Amino acid sequence: MSTPATNEMPKAYDPKEVEGRIYRFWTEGGYFSPSTDPAKKPFVVIMPPPNVTGELHLGHALTASIQDVLCRWHRMLGDATLWLPGKDHAGIATQWVVEQHVARQGTSRQELGREAFVEQVWEWVRRYGNTIDEQHKRLGASCDWSRLSFTLDPGPSLAVRATFVNLYNKGLVYRGERIINWCPRCSTALSDLEVEHAEQDGSLYFIRYPMQSGEGHIVVATTRPETMLGDTGVAVNPEDERFGSQVGQLAILPIVNRQIPVVADDAIDPQFGTGALKVTPGHDATDFEIGRRHNLPVVTVIEQDGTMSGEAGTYAGVERFQCRTEIVQRLQDEGYMEKVEAYRHSVGHCQRCKSVVEPLVSTQWFMDVGRYDDPASIAGRAYRAVSEGRIRIVPERFSNVYKNWLENIRDWCVSRQLWWGHRIPVWYCRSCGKSTASVDEVDACSHCQSEDIWQDPDVLDTWFSSALWPHSTVGWPENSEDFSRFYPDADFDTAVSGHNAFVMETGYDILFFWVARMIMMGLENTGREPFHTVFLHGLIRDAEGVKMSKTKGNVLDPLQLIEEFGTDALRFALTTGTAPGNDQRLGESKLESTRNFANKLWNASRFVLSNIDRADSADLLGWRNLDSSSGMVRQDRWILHRLSLLCRTVNRYLEEYELGEAQRSIYEFLWGDYCDWYIEMAKVRIRSGDQSPLRVLVHVLERTLRLLHPFMPYITEEIWQNLVSRLPGRDGLPESIMVAPYPKSDEAKLDAAADDEMQEIIQVVRAIRNARAQLRIAPGQKLPATLAPGPLAGALREESMMMEVLATASPLTIADDGQDDSRLADQAITMVIGQIVVKVPLAGVVDISSERERLQGELLETSEALERVRKLLADDKFSSRAPEEVVERERERERSMEERRERLEQVLVQMPS
């Protein structure tokens, strides 16, 4: 296996040159496969299978980045880590793509027939199905590609058939006539979760239904007058006294002239419309249930293609929305329309094609999930798994969302009128009329042995196979070695071992689509929870906080971002600055910031390596195990203390799934403590001939590269390989950083005293630098400074050479106790840093009077601007009506101006009067 490192680190980091070479090194090394050592505990993440015809979008990139962080971290902890990749056949989505493809060839699904069309889909999958796998590899995904699964592979397909047959035999799947969501464009049933509701402007129509007795009329209100042709009743609330005399009477349905009863039902809201509801059992879920309770017939007036049926009389064949227009006009012409009001309401749309969904009565297959409060039901077991703490949801607030959904769950419509997918394994007998469910193909009826049978033409909902993913991908229903090792054991005790062995990480938007159903089916099929932690991330919005969409033109292509900024910069930008379950923003400035961080790390590493190349190997001995108690200088003890604290902090954050906080901590340490301070301090010592910082520079860099590796895998591997190849004492190191032990806190290196002293010294340097910047003093102009050290005199004298260089302060005088510096009072800027008083003479350097006047002018201007922004934000009209991104931009301006005002006030206080 070839080493991934180059002989010499180029001046600039080039992701395009590094990433492909490094990924080949990882795959050739077999690092993505879990250890076979039975003593190592498993850590398992199952990739949410993307659509087989899909391409990588930012949602995929975020999911993969987070999962890769967790897997790389656990791999470095020594766990047998399995990240199992997969792809979903995506029934509706894939069939629609291929239907469009064959249409361009001048044919159609119907002309081809089922067998030929399905073969066309398979050909499409074979041609394009690997695209998203290759794109995941570009992200650095350390999946075990040898276990790549597809929902239509033989193993998952067997699991689907076995599950269906088991449920069928228990009576938990049944075929029945129900009101379902129907997409006229996709020509299939949809589950409730596949329907997206959107507010839209419409009309509320008030229609007079004459009473059969001739005594007046009853007025109903509806948003869908075209469905009145299928009305079989009018319903009112039994407590509504307005209609007491009409309950039990008959009304005449306008246009159709059908007599329909007025019934009393508790489902009616007296506050909606007139309080009287037209009942259309064939086209509304609530009406269907009312119809059942009152034995009202079902009349279907809208066909599956969205046109009116023969039951609609003269309107048969008219498109449903055109029919609405014609019905409204006729009601107005014939005097039945009392009034029309503007009305904003929620309308269901197909999640896939955005067509308006039509509620239709249809014969479908349903899964009986039961009630949440029945501990023996499918829904009840899933409910208790979370409520009793066997499954933890991160963040916790989504536990209530999950439980609330299960408390209101309905039986799941699992059949779809498609050709692509898992065909329902049920055969019907023409001879005896009975049905047979079987895992294997059936040649004859199991009841009468007749061979005159036919298979149900429908396929199962895509989410049915996805719900089995955690156990179907590791061998179930067979008791395979993978199933025994990588599916939670019945004896696994989260109270003892924690929740961090089997993790499901995904977006909160599919908590119900997928997560809840995996829990239900995992418990149903195996009796065990499929995972112990559900870690949810939020959605990605643009830099202004707006949801990304193609129509708004604000969608970012992750592959283009990788080309421009590099994979590590994209990954770091996606996973930093956010908390579990929260939406986040992504824009060019954030990506530029993370690319700058990668470049900062690269340049700092080049500095360290250049010094290693010039050093004597004796200066580097012992770099792996430094002893901070053996006469180390304060600067070295300080950075080792900070590193030890960082290791403790990062591991704690990762254990708590606070990936953003872990990254922030590493970023601040590397950019601030290490690059901006320790390296600069080390330069002063090295230039003076002191080589002792080299071992510390190397040790801290090597450990920090390990800490950062799960987040930025490519650049850390490249630097680490270049670093360790130059070092003595590297025996025993692994060949790749991705299997190097993840650093933990070294308590022996904690040195609070050194940290306290160095923090005050750094604050002194920073204060002098800030004063120089605010007073616009040229960078190269040296300023004298006098320090009244208090109890830190010894530390300040030992660090004075470093302070002079970093603060550009020369000479730097450490005043003796009681030394009179009153002569400087009228000419110096004075700063109090903890126990240290810093005085910087300004006479002859700046015009103090002019500078004070300038700074006061800037302070006034900043204060006035801040007041304007605060008034704007305090205006309820602005806060409630302005777009969210505009409000947030003003809040950011407020924070920025508050910080500037504070800095100006500090400098003015410090200046001599």
Side-chain angles (χ1 to χ4, degrees), residues 398 506-512 536-539 541 581-583:
F398 282 99
T506 190
Y508 67 65
D509 54 328
I510 56 173
L511 177 60
F512 310 133
L536 301 174
H537 64 252
L539 305 178
R541 299 177 180 272
N582 287 359
D583 292 352

Side-chain angles (χ1 to χ4, degrees), residues 385-627:
V386 171
S387 66
E388 295 177 1
R390 292 190 298 279
I391 294 178
R392 171 193 176 203
I393 299 181
V394 179
E396 172 63 27
R397 68 179 184 274
F398 282 99
S399 296
N400 291 330
V401 177
Y402 168 90
K403 289 186 287 186
N404 182 66
W405 181 73
L406 284 173
E407 288 165 6
N408 296 279
I409 196 171
R410 298 193 300 176
D411 285 0
W412 176 11
C413 177
V414 297
S415 51
R416 297 292 181 270
Q417 288 63 55
L418 303 170
W419 289 352
W420 173 246
H422 295 278
R423 194 165 177 180
I424 290 175
V426 173
W427 286 259
Y428 304 103
C429 179
R430 292 186 179 92
S431 298
C432 70
K434 294 182 179 180
S435 58
T436 299
S438 173
V439 172
D440 301 315
E441 289 287 322
V442 171
D443 296 323
C445 173
S446 63
H447 302 281
C448 70
Q449 283 68 55
S450 169
E451 295 182 0
D452 189 10
I453 59 174
W454 56 283
Q455 187 177 358
D456 194 303
D458 291 350
V459 300
L460 287 162
D461 179 7
T462 296
W463 294 101
F464 188 94
S465 53
S466 298
L468 314 182
W469 206 232
H471 54 282
S472 70
T473 51
V474 290
W476 187 92
E478 306 297 335
N479 190 22
S480 66
E481 182 179 342
D482 269 9
F483 179 69
S484 299
R485 189 166 193 213
F486 297 120
Y487 191 80
D489 190 272
D491 298 326
F492 189 91
D493 188 351
T494 55
V496 175
S497 304
H499 285 79
N500 293 340
F502 300 89
V503 175
M504 172 48 58
E505 194 286 329
T506 190
Y508 67 65
D509 54 328
I510 56 173
L511 177 60
F512 310 133
F513 276 112
W514 193 41
V515 176
R517 287 168 171 170
M518 281 189 290
I519 295 172
M520 289 194 290
M521 301 314 298
L523 287 163
E524 171 63 25
N525 281 344
T526 73
R528 287 127 63 180
E529 292 80 10
F531 31 76
H532 299 131
T533 296
V534 177
F535 175 27
L536 301 174
H537 64 252
L539 305 178
I540 301 175
R541 299 177 180 272
D542 70 12
E544 303 298 331
V546 178
K547 187 175 180 180
M548 293 186 182
S549 70
K550 291 181 180 178
T551 56
K552 292 177 181 174
N554 62 348
V555 173
L556 298 176
D557 180 352
L559 298 175
Q560 291 179 3
L561 298 178
I562 287 173
E563 285 294 316
E564 184 175 355
F565 298 98
T567 297
D568 288 326
L570 173 61
R571 287 173 55 132
F572 206 78
L574 285 171
T575 52
T576 195
T578 187
N582 287 359
D583 292 352
Q584 63 161 302
R585 300 179 180 199
L586 183 67
E588 190 164 316
S589 62
K590 191 175 185 182
L591 288 157
E592 287 174 348
S593 174
T594 53
R595 180 176 59 188
N596 291 343
F597 176 57
N599 291 335
K600 181 92 168 180
L601 173 62
W602 184 262
N603 292 333
S605 301
R606 288 186 71 248
F607 166 78
V608 174
L609 266 64
S610 67
N611 279 278
I612 292 173
D613 292 341
R614 292 193 294 267
D616 191 300
S617 61
D619 294 327
L620 297 165
L621 292 175
W623 68 269
R624 291 174 67 178
N625 298 293
L626 298 179
D627 183 0

